[in-house]
Amino acid sequence: MNHFYFPGRFTPKFGSISFLILLMLICLTAAAQDNSLSEPVYQMPPDEIAALIDAPPTPRISIGPDGEWMAILDRPGYPSIEELALPELRLAGLRIDPKVSGPSRISYYTGITFKKIASLDDKELAGLPEKARIGNFSWSPDGQKIAFTNTSPEGIELWVADIDKAIAMRLGQFYLNDIYGSPYYWHPDSRTLICKIIPPDRGDAPEASPVPSGPVIRQNDGEIAPAVTYADLLMNSHDEALLEYFLQCQLTIISLDGEMRNIGRSGMIAGAEPSPDGQYILVETIHRPFSYTVPISRFPRLVEVWNLEGTVVRKVVDQPLAENIPTVSDAVRTGPRDINWRSDEAAMLYWAEALDNGDPRLEAEVRDQIYTLVAPFKGNPIPLFALNFRYNFIIWSSDDLAIIYEKWWKTRNIKAWAFAPGSMRVDPELIFDYSREDRYHHPGTPMTHNNEAGKEVLLLSKDGKSMFLTGEGGSPEGDRPFLDKLNLVTKEKTRLWQSEAPYYETVLDLPDPGDSKILTMRESITEPPNAFVRDLDNAKLEQITFFPNPTPQLMEIQKEQIRYAREDGLSLTATLYLPAGYTPESGPLPMLMWAYPTEFKSADAAGQVTDSPYRFIRVGWWSPILWVTRGYAILDDAGMPIVGEGDEEPNDSFVEQLVADARAAVDEVVRRGVADRNRIAVGGHSYGAFMAANLLAHSDLFRAGLARSGAYNRTLTPFGFQNEDRTLWESPETYYEMSPFMHVDSINEPILLVHGELDNNSGTYPMQSERFYNALKGYGATVRLVMLPYESHSYRARESIMHVLWESDRWLEKYVKNAPPREVDNLSRQSTDN
């Protein structure tokens, strides 16, 4: 039987220190490759799994701003490994395709069809280039046109189309810079666009000298500047030169008839948002000094207001390099941040500023102050709203009404206030006060629509007295999305509609608040999501898209949302899938359990039901449901709450709670007779992989594990991880106890490790899996490490995906489905007593 380590506080002893030294030696000396492996090639999983991966993707839809038209966007299948292997630069947290000056890893569309919602008439967009790679799709403010980019081999082109004509055309012969921030913006007149184009005189990219001019030096003069483990950071002066070169762009105003006019100076322009009246542009420009310890989001940036001639009207702020933001939740940079146009005014800026130095650990009665500054942007900004918590966002409506949200992570509290921006004499009213963890009492999110300038504003009833709310509708029966109407005068709330079994249906749009018709997306276990027009007066339902079931072979799969209790009484939820034709007489099956731990401050919230039993059975490369076609029972999204109420932090008892969660799940499926207790595997991705490794280290509940792109040694992420705000030095026992790397001597079940070689997720560097593998190998564990070339934290190439599924299937077949009884299982080693 495996044992927990350090049930009390962590006290370093000679034995534990010796153990750490041993592990370090193992990691340094166990780098030799497995000699039994020949030259590896990509493999294919069984046909039933491969067919699900190759199923055609369902198109995506986009509703126009006036609710008259819908765009249906076609999606391709998974890209090839050849696409991922194309040249790529990794600079300051960005991944750049140097050939086109755009992102190197993007999803794109291949075709567009317009559908008129009232008549259901279709118009397929003609004139697209062959093998179109469509991105950055957006509607014009008047809803009669669209713009999008096409990534050609030479660069990123700007295309537009009038919906009535449904013919696409390229706008100009320039190429856009799409590396950082939006590459273009619609002007409110719907006839022109503001674009970030590559300067024609940019020249060739700087080349690295093979001989360095000197060492790379970093220095800190006593300033406290913690940083999490960011990936793809700048490494040297050549990286700096490359970043500056590729970010260069020129702002250009382009009309739909092709006339072009450059405005202002070129530079490393991140954003260029026009004001609602179209007279000004809010321009953000990145500048030096750069950093080798934080990504581009922390770099200095100059925020200015320009007129349409490119003249600087007002310098709003020159934000310095932000290397010293605390690594705790709700920490922010000092000075003006989140600078935006007020969407319901002609030209008024607003922003937030921290009054607690951006550090939530400091005592402060007021945390954030909202300021405004109106055209012509003279004088000092005007204080608008003081917040006790951290500013979240504002939904604007008029001088008489806006909704402002504030949040506080430590208590998980969210508040929303209704206030009158045009009158300081009108007291704000608290309209929502809830916990972000409490699904059952979430009030919903206010609905918005785009005004004539194309800016998002609050959607109100015709009399202006009520707003509309949509939400997931969490309940003990599962999620039941809803539409509510809230009277802002009386605070009376009326439920206009709620999803009903056996369907899961969500609100897409309320085109006319004076009409009874809403647009929804509806699905069931066997029916894929499709769009409908629902009449609330007569309950009439009209289907407007007819996307087929991409995986009809799963029609007979059995799905059930189950509930069970942890040993301390905490209620847990999971979704159970059983193969087609399974009956109780079939007996217990081998099972794969897939999960992801979640921290809570409230046991009541942790025990709430998540998701809906009526969702369509979706499968992707990440989904454990694939193995239901191979005769396995699947327990997906098994509840893994980690609760820390009051002054306790959830991670203070992470291992104990994790094992209790898993034991409850295993006991329940065994009690139901659907799973064989001796043939259950556990798996997960990222923090789920971390979970799987911990469960193998601290329990004997599972026969094998699948761990993809995880982190296993928390001392490599010393300034916090996931939702842990304490540093390694503040809570060493937590970092030690939670690290499966520190407990490899207790892992006596086979574990398959998979990791992308170019993982850019904070905290899950590829070395996490490499060092974990070396440590496990050094202790004689049954372990296999699969490193995927060119893949990041999530996997994209079809070859990579198919190979991961082949590896996983072989692992499950050998070590779970066909595993011998435990008492005769030839384990590589036995658990070490401690």
Side-chain angles (χ1 to χ4, degrees):
M1 185 67 181
N2 290 324
H3 299 276
F4 292 83
Y5 292 99
F6 305 107
R9 288 192 56 81
F10 171 67
T11 304
K13 297 180 181 178
F14 177 77
S16 60
I17 294 174
S18 300
F19 177 56
L20 288 173
I21 293 173
L22 174 61
L23 285 181
M24 292 173 65
L25 291 173
I26 289 170
C27 291
L28 292 172
T29 61
Q33 296 296 316
D34 188 340
N35 294 328
S36 66
L37 295 177
S38 59
E39 183 67 24
V41 295
Y42 290 109
Q43 301 288 343
M44 289 290 291
D47 290 344
E48 54 266 47
I49 290 180
L52 293 171
I53 297 301
D54 284 334
T58 299
R60 290 179 176 164
I61 65 173
S62 175
I63 309 296
D66 56 6
E68 180 182 5
W69 289 94
M70 169 190 295
I72 300 173
L73 309 171
D74 297 328
R75 298 189 295 156
Y78 294 108
S80 68
I81 193 66
E82 287 86 354
E83 181 175 323
L84 266 67
L86 292 173
E88 176 185 69
L89 296 175
R90 296 183 286 278
L91 303 170
L94 303 175
R95 293 196 164 179
I96 299 169
D97 181 343
K99 189 173 183 181
V100 300
S101 291
S104 59
R105 297 164 182 265
I106 60 169
S107 298
Y108 56 89
Y109 306 109
T110 56
I112 303 173
T113 300
F114 298 115
K115 182 182 286 289
K116 197 162 189 175
I117 294 172
S119 63
L120 301 187
D121 292 337
D122 287 347
K123 289 185 179 182
E124 185 174 353
L125 184 61
L128 290 172
E130 188 176 357
K131 297 182 179 179
R133 295 164 60 93
I134 297 168
N136 298 293
F137 176 93
S138 69
W139 297 86
S140 62
D142 64 8
Q144 299 306 304
K145 309 169 193 69
I146 62 164
F148 56 90
T149 59
N150 174 61
T151 301
S152 72
E154 293 75 30
I156 299 173
E157 308 160 347
L158 179 62
W159 287 67
V160 294
D162 183 284
I163 295 175
D164 285 337
K165 297 177 182 177
I167 299 176
M169 67 174 187
R170 182 181 174 186
L171 199 58
Q173 296 302 308
F174 57 86
Y175 294 107
L176 296 170
N177 189 320
D178 192 18
I179 289 174
Y180 187 58
S182 178
Y184 72 87
Y185 300 82
W186 276 104
H187 189 275
D189 65 8
S190 295
R191 298 189 302 273
T192 52
L193 298 102
I194 300 171
C195 302
K196 294 161 49 181
I197 70 170
I198 297 173
D201 59 351
R202 187 176 65 168
D204 296 330
E207 295 184 1
S209 170
V211 180
S213 59
V216 175
I217 298 173
R218 307 179 191 182
Q219 179 172 322
N220 186 64
D221 294 325
E223 182 180 15
I224 298 175
V228 298
T229 49
Y230 296 111
D232 299 341
L233 298 176
L234 298 179
M235 300 296 292
N236 49 50
S237 59
H238 179 61
D239 280 356
E240 293 189 57
L242 284 173
L243 181 68
E244 188 162 31
Y245 170 84
F246 278 105
L247 286 181
Q248 289 295 319
C249 53
Q250 172 67 55
L251 282 190
T252 304
I253 294 181
I254 304 172
S255 67
L256 294 182
D257 59 13
E259 292 186 6
M260 298 176 57
R261 178 170 60 86
N262 291 345
I263 56 173
R265 62 187 182 274
S266 63
M268 294 183 282
I269 298 174
E273 180 80 23
S275 59
D277 65 0
Q279 299 302 305
Y280 303 95
I281 307 173
L282 182 64
V283 180
E284 293 189 21
T285 306
I286 306 295
H287 65 83
R288 291 176 180 265
F290 297 154
S291 171
Y292 292 5
T293 59
V294 294
I296 192 172
S297 60
R298 302 281 193 91
F299 285 10
R301 61 184 62 205
L302 175 64
V303 183
E304 300 172 312
V305 177
W306 295 5
N307 64 21
L308 296 186
E309 302 303 317
T311 302
V312 177
V313 177
R314 171 86 179 218
K315 184 177 85 170
V316 182
V317 65
D318 192 353
Q319 296 172 330
L321 178 65
E323 288 187 326
N324 59 350
I325 299 176
T327 57
V328 295
S329 301
D330 288 328
V332 295
R333 70 191 308 161
T334 57
R337 71 179 197 278
D338 296 332
I339 306 166
N340 286 293
W341 294 113
R342 184 171 150 180
S343 57
D344 61 328
E345 284 286 331
M348 180 184 289
L349 293 173
Y350 73 98
W351 64 82
E353 287 192 45
L355 302 184
D356 59 0
N357 203 36
D359 190 344
R361 298 169 299 186
L362 301 178
E363 294 293 330
E365 184 175 345
V366 177
R367 295 282 176 185
D368 274 351
Q369 175 72 54
I370 308 300
Y371 292 94
T372 62
L373 184 64
V374 67
F377 312 107
K378 305 295 184 182
N380 296 323
I382 299 172
L384 178 68
F385 205 102
L387 295 163
N388 300 118
F389 295 157
R390 191 64 76 212
Y391 166 71
N392 197 3
F393 61 90
I394 298 177
I395 305 175
W396 300 99
S397 177
S398 67
D399 267 348
D400 296 324
L401 177 64
I403 309 294
I404 185 169
Y405 280 76
E406 59 180 338
K407 60 179 181 175
W408 198 243
W409 170 254
K410 191 171 184 63
T411 60
R412 311 301 197 266
N413 186 234
I414 295 176
K415 288 183 171 67
W417 300 83
F419 72 106
S423 177
M424 302 298 291
R425 294 189 299 271
V426 179
D427 291 335
E429 291 187 86
L430 182 65
I431 57 173
F432 301 134
D433 186 354
Y434 60 97
S435 168
R436 69 190 305 272
E437 296 179 341
D438 189 352
R439 299 172 56 84
Y440 292 0
H441 298 96
H442 194 292
T445 302
M447 294 191 71
T448 61
H449 70 116
N450 285 358
N451 59 17
E452 292 181 354
K455 308 296 185 181
E456 192 175 39
V457 294
L458 189 65
L459 180 65
L460 296 175
S461 58
K462 291 295 186 181
D463 61 9
K465 295 181 180 180
S466 300
M467 67 178 184
F468 300 90
L469 303 166
T470 59
E472 286 294 336
S475 74
E477 293 77 39
D479 290 348
R480 297 182 59 205
F482 64 83
L483 173 64
D484 282 352
K485 185 176 183 179
L486 175 64
N487 188 301
L488 293 165
V489 178
T490 66
K491 305 302 181 292
E492 180 182 356
K493 186 185 291 186
T494 304
R495 179 135 301 177
L496 302 179
W497 169 84
Q498 188 161 21
S499 179
E500 296 181 355
Y503 293 97
Y504 176 83
E505 190 172 359
T506 60
V507 177
L508 287 177
D509 193 20
L510 178 56
D512 183 352
D515 192 9
S516 61
K517 293 180 179 179
I518 61 174
L519 295 178
T520 69
M521 185 69 79
R522 189 173 82 149
E523 62 189 271
S524 71
I525 293 177
T526 58
E527 299 172 36
N530 270 291
F532 290 78
V533 174
R534 176 177 286 279
D535 193 319
L536 300 180
D537 285 344
N538 56 25
K540 182 180 178 182
L541 195 64
E542 182 180 16
Q543 188 168 346
I544 57 176
T545 64
F546 298 86
F547 304 135
N549 186 340
T551 53
Q553 60 267 51
L554 298 180
M555 289 279 290
E556 302 301 321
I557 296 301
Q558 302 175 47
K559 175 184 177 181
E560 181 184 359
Q561 191 175 63
I562 66 173
R563 300 205 69 181
Y564 50 96
R566 202 165 75 175
E567 58 190 9
D568 61 0
L570 184 66
S571 181
L572 304 176
T573 308
T575 304
L576 177 65
Y577 297 88
L578 297 172
Y582 176 84
T583 64
E585 291 73 26
S586 303
L589 301 171
M591 191 184 85
L592 171 59
M593 186 180 85
W594 204 263
Y596 192 95
T598 306
E599 298 88 345
F600 290 89
K601 290 298 292 181
S602 162
D604 288 341
Q608 292 181 358
V609 175
T610 60
D611 209 347
S612 165
Y614 306 114
R615 300 294 296 266
F616 179 66
I617 298 178
R618 293 173 176 81
V619 291
W621 68 264
W622 59 87
S623 175
I625 305 171
L626 294 165
W627 277 276
V628 78
T629 65
R630 298 280 288 160
Y632 292 81
I634 305 297
L635 196 67
D636 192 19
D637 197 21
M640 291 284 165
I642 310 298
V643 184
E645 295 189 293
D647 293 334
E648 293 185 3
E649 292 297 328
N651 286 341
D652 290 344
S653 55
F654 177 88
V655 169
E656 293 88 343
Q657 292 195 62
L658 190 71
V659 172
D661 291 332
R663 182 179 294 113
V666 169
D667 288 347
E668 177 62 17
V669 292
V670 170
R671 183 192 68 79
R672 287 170 171 257
V674 298
D676 180 348
R677 184 182 293 274
N678 294 311
R679 293 189 298 158
I680 300 177
V682 63
H685 185 93
S686 192
Y687 209 55
F690 169 74
M691 169 210 72
N694 263 308
L695 286 172
L696 296 188
H698 297 289
S699 79
D700 284 322
L701 294 166
F702 303 100
R703 294 304 300 272
L706 305 177
R708 301 175 185 166
S709 300
Y712 310 103
N713 182 355
R714 285 299 152 195
T715 69
L716 296 176
T717 55
F719 285 101
F721 58 90
Q722 200 70 0
N723 291 316
E724 177 56 67
D725 283 342
R726 295 169 296 185
T727 69
L728 168 64
W729 300 275
E730 291 171 324
S731 187
E733 67 277 13
T734 299
Y735 280 69
Y736 187 97
E737 178 78 6
M738 291 180 65
S739 296
F741 180 87
M742 305 301 182
H743 305 288
V744 293
D745 60 332
S746 293
I747 298 178
N748 54 16
E749 298 88 5
I751 183 170
L752 174 65
L753 303 174
V754 179
H755 217 119
E757 287 186 350
L758 300 181
D759 192 337
N760 64 341
N761 184 58
S762 175
T764 56
Y765 282 163
M767 73 167 66
Q768 288 275 1
S769 287
E770 293 167 339
R771 292 184 176 182
F772 192 40
Y773 169 80
N774 289 340
L776 288 163
K777 182 179 178 181
Y779 252 93
T782 299
V783 59
R784 182 176 173 92
L785 173 62
V786 180
M787 300 298 293
L788 301 173
Y790 302 110
E791 294 291 355
S792 185
H793 191 60
S794 181
Y795 317 145
R796 297 189 69 238
R798 180 178 182 273
E799 292 88 343
S800 301
I801 290 165
M802 292 296 190
H803 188 86
V804 169
L805 300 179
W806 175 77
E807 295 275 5
S808 302
D809 188 74
R810 290 173 68 242
W811 206 256
L812 292 172
E813 291 288 296
K814 180 176 182 179
Y815 295 113
V816 181
K817 180 185 285 187
N818 298 306
R822 280 183 186 270
E823 56 268 24
V824 297
D825 190 8
N826 184 22
L827 296 175
S828 59
R829 60 182 175 78
Q830 294 297 321
S831 176
T832 303
D833 291 336
N834 190 44

